[in-house]
Structures are given as structure tokens and as C-alpha cells.
Amino acid sequence: MDGAFIFTTLQKVYYPLLCVLGIPANLFTFYMICFRTCGMSDSARIYLSCLALMDTCYLVWVILLDLCLTFLQPQPFWHSSPWCEIMNFLQFGSFYCTAWVVVAFTIERFLVLRVTVSRQHPLQARHALLTCTTVILLSHLASIPASWINMVVQVNMTLDGEVVSVPRCLYREALYSTVVVWITSFLSSGVPIMLVIIFNSLIAYHLLCSSRLFTKEERRTIHGSRTRGSVRRTLLLLGTVSVAFVVLTLPRFVTYCILRTTYNHKDFDRNDYTIPINVISDAANMLHNLNSSTNFLLYCVVSRRFRQELLNTLTCRAKARELGSFFTHTTMKVFSVTEHKYKPGRDPVSVVLTKLRRFRDSAPHDATQAEVVPSDLSSMF
């Protein structure tokens, strides 16, 4: 069997399966991070939930509406204007967002380790929300020039045994497109990969230096605190997401640079899978697209709190625990009110007066002992 046919069939199965599994997984991840207690800081929840939404947008615009329709339909809807330009805008916008949210999260974690003033911690969630909003707006603003790298042209195709002229959204062979594509490649892959590597190296160096400043008992005390534990869990998630981002994104960036330098001529057939660089490049694209649907699995593997909360959600244990907590809290309130109402009856003065009355009734002939109690009462006031 032809190797090109096998590789094409593999992509026809791979990309729809990626959408079927990745989109629900990202949406469920967003729900878990935002509405469940997964042991993350407020700023980490904002960054990771934003990343889940941007990964979902990337899967919809790039995988579902572009690649899946390319393999499953002879003439997708975006081969006509203005969808050709709109799809480029949405795809590059989500492409920028998924990369730069990881970069912003990495830089934020580095700054958290450097800043030790506790009064600045409540502002982290607000800064994270502002940063994510800015990243989304700037990413889509930077993707506007990419809207015109393709153009709609009429080409002759054979459909149902007949040669017809149909519109196709094809790459514009011009200097403008080449410049925009190179800038986009570095801004969406090259620069983010470099920044993620640099700041994760600085975080590792900072943790290494901090571990040398404390004894084993002091480190145990620091690690036992709630704040430090949350920071440690967040750093573990960050390291996992960063490593996955670099490993899955770097091959695509390298192969794309090779295609745009060594094989950048008109006679080169990008769809010819007998050429090794085409197979390697498409395999790198498959790895890069996998990056947008693996975060849910990474959180399950790395975070124990995330796994525990996921199990509670799937088995409805959280609802039972909340209901039990409600009844326990209500019962404690009832006992608290009852105890509060009973305290005046246990006043020392009332007890002494009762004993005094009983003492006089039982032994009225002993006047010496009866006078002792009032003297004690007067001393109490």
C-alpha cells in the first residue's frame, strides 16, 4: 500500500478524533478550574482557564473548520470570500493566544517567587485577569495583517467526474505574504518558546538558590504552609504545561523554517509525501495541534487535587459533602443557641441563693451558719 495514502488516511482519522476528544476535555477543564477547588491560586486559575478557552478556540478554528473539512469535504465553505480572510484572522488570533498565555503565566510565576510582600497577593488575580484580556486583544489585533496572506482564485477541479471552475482560498505569492508569515512564525512560536525556556530556567535557578538558604527543618515548615503549598503545586503545573508547550511546538517551528528557506520555490509540491520534509512537517503539525488538547490529561497526571476533585465531580461526592456540611453547620447553630440560652440559669448568684433558701428551710435553728452565705455574697459584688 502507498505510504502517502496511509499517511493521508491517518490524518483523516487523527484530526476528527482530536476534535471529539479535545474540545469536550478543554471545556470540562475550564469548568473544573473555575468552579471546583483544585488547589490552585486565584491567578493560576485565571491563566489556566483562559488557556483552556483559547485551546478550544484553536481546535474549532484550525482543526475542526479547517483541517477536518479539508479532508472530509471537497469544497469547504471558507474557500469563498470573506470567509477566507475571516478564517485566517481567527486562526492566527487563537494561535497567538495559546502561546502568549503560557508565556504570561510563566512570567507571572517568576514574579511571584521574586516578590515577597504579602499585601501584593490580593492584586494577583486582578492583574492576571487584566493580562489575559490584554493578551487576547493584542493577539487578535496582531493577526489582522494575516487576513490577506491568502486570496480567493478560480481553479479548475474535477468534481463527480466533471471539470468545473470553483473558488479556492490559496496562498498569495507575494512579498507581503512572505514577510507576514515570517513575523507570525517568530511571534507565535520562536519568541514564546525562547521566553518560556528562559523564565523556567530562572525559576529553577531561584528555587535552587532558595533551597540552600534554609535547613531541612525550615524547608519542611515552609513546605507545610498553605501558601507555599499552593505555590509549589502551581509551579508543578506550570512546569508541565511549559515542557509540553516547548516539546510539541518546537518541531513545527523548525520544519516551517526549513520549508520557508530551503524549499521555498514555486516548483515545490507541498502535498507530495514522497519528499521526506513534507512527511516530517505534517507530523510536526500533528504534534503541535496535539498541544491544544492535552492539558486536561496533564493536570490529571500531575495534580493530585485535580484528580481528587475530578473523582468527586464524577461520583457526585461533592454534593453529598456539601449537604452534610450544611446539616452539620445547622446543627452546630442549634446547639450554640441552646447553650447560649441556658447560661443565665447557671449564674453563680442564682445557685448560691437557691442553696441559701434550701439551707434555711432545712436548718432554721442554726443562725451562725446561715449568716455566712450573705457575707460571701456581699464580697462577690
Side-chain angles (χ1 to χ4, degrees):
M1 187 179 292
D2 188 9
F5 175 77
I6 296 176
F7 191 70
T8 303
T9 305
L10 177 63
Q11 294 183 76
K12 290 181 180 180
V13 176
Y14 173 77
Y15 286 120
L17 184 63
L18 198 63
C19 291
V20 171
L21 298 179
I23 294 176
N26 286 331
L27 294 178
F28 189 69
T29 301
F30 176 79
Y31 166 75
M32 290 291 297
I33 294 175
C34 292
F35 302 102
R36 293 293 179 179
T37 305
C38 299
M40 304 178 188
S41 62
D42 292 337
S43 59
R45 293 171 62 184
I46 293 175
Y47 282 110
L48 295 180
S49 60
C50 179
L51 181 61
L53 289 180
M54 291 300 101
D55 284 340
T56 304
C57 293
Y58 181 85
L59 290 175
V60 171
W61 304 134
V62 179
I63 310 301
L64 180 62
L65 297 181
D66 189 352
L67 295 175
C68 290
L69 294 184
T70 299
F71 288 110
L72 300 177
Q73 291 184 1
Q75 184 67 15
F77 72 94
W78 43 264
H79 278 301
S80 60
S81 185
W83 289 109
C84 180
E85 294 81 7
I86 294 176
M87 286 295 294
N88 282 335
F89 170 75
L90 295 176
Q91 288 177 2
F92 280 96
S94 60
F95 195 12
Y96 279 128
C97 288
T98 54
W100 284 98
V101 168
V102 177
V103 174
F105 186 31
T106 306
I107 296 176
E108 190 265 350
R109 287 295 94 184
F110 173 73
L111 295 178
V112 166
L113 290 178
R114 299 290 296 178
V115 177
T116 58
V117 182
S118 60
R119 62 182 177 86
Q120 294 183 3
H121 290 293
L123 299 178
Q124 291 178 8
R126 186 183 304 176
H127 292 165
L129 183 60
L130 180 62
T131 302
C132 290
T133 304
T134 304
V135 167
I136 294 174
L137 293 178
L138 292 180
S139 297
H140 286 83
L141 183 64
S143 66
I144 293 178
S147 302
W148 293 281
I149 63 174
N150 293 341
M151 63 179 178
V152 179
V153 296
Q154 294 291 328
V155 298
N156 294 327
M157 292 185 60
T158 302
L159 296 177
D160 298 332
E162 296 182 0
V163 178
V164 294
S165 179
V166 294
R168 303 292 291 182
C169 182
L170 301 178
Y171 180 74
R172 187 192 303 268
E173 295 291 344
L175 179 62
Y176 170 81
S177 300
T178 303
V179 173
V180 171
V181 166
W182 273 110
I183 294 176
T184 301
S185 299
F186 276 95
L187 290 181
S188 61
S189 298
V191 176
I193 290 174
M194 181 180 62
L195 291 177
V196 167
I197 293 175
I198 290 175
F199 279 97
N200 275 283
S201 301
L202 292 176
I203 290 174
Y205 176 75
H206 179 79
L207 293 177
L208 181 62
C209 293
S210 299
S211 63
R212 296 175 179 175
L213 298 177
F214 302 97
T215 62
K216 184 182 296 185
E217 291 76 11
E218 291 173 340
R219 288 198 300 269
R220 188 181 298 112
T221 303
I222 292 175
H223 291 166
S225 65
R226 184 175 180 181
T227 303
R228 290 291 181 178
S230 177
V231 171
R232 190 175 67 254
R233 289 190 296 268
T234 304
L235 288 177
L236 182 60
L237 286 175
L238 170 64
T240 306
V241 172
S242 300
V243 170
F245 171 76
V246 173
V247 171
L248 297 177
T249 305
L250 185 58
R252 180 191 178 276
F253 177 70
V254 174
T255 55
Y256 190 84
C257 292
I258 295 174
L259 286 173
R260 286 296 170 182
T261 53
T262 307
Y263 298 92
N264 190 22
H265 50 83
K266 295 182 179 180
D267 297 333
F268 179 73
D269 187 5
R270 183 64 178 82
N271 297 320
D272 185 7
Y273 287 117
T274 60
I275 304 176
I277 189 61
N278 286 336
V279 179
I280 296 174
S281 179
D282 282 356
N285 287 334
M286 295 171 68
L287 286 178
H288 175 265
N289 295 328
L290 183 64
N291 182 50
S292 298
S293 57
T294 57
N295 287 334
F296 174 77
L297 182 61
L298 295 178
Y299 300 157
C300 291
V301 172
V302 174
S303 177
R304 181 182 60 84
R305 292 288 299 275
F306 189 87
R307 292 194 305 270
Q308 181 180 0
E309 195 62 30
L310 174 63
L311 183 61
N312 292 336
T313 303
L314 296 179
T315 58
C316 300
R317 292 181 182 177
K319 293 295 183 181
R321 187 172 63 250
E322 292 175 1
L323 185 61
S325 177
F326 171 76
F327 282 118
T328 304
H329 184 64
T330 306
T331 305
M332 291 177 64
K333 278 187 174 182
V334 172
F335 279 109
S336 178
V337 172
T338 305
E339 184 181 0
H340 178 71
K341 290 183 178 180
Y342 184 71
K343 284 182 179 181
R346 298 179 61 185
D347 186 74
V349 179
S350 300
V351 173
V352 174
L353 288 176
T354 302
K355 288 184 178 181
L356 178 62
R357 190 181 301 113
R358 289 180 181 178
F359 180 75
R360 287 179 176 177
D361 291 341
S362 61
H365 59 279
D366 195 351
T368 306
Q369 296 180 5
E371 293 177 355
V372 175
V373 176
S375 63
D376 294 337
L377 291 174
S378 60
S379 64
M380 294 177 64
F381 296 97

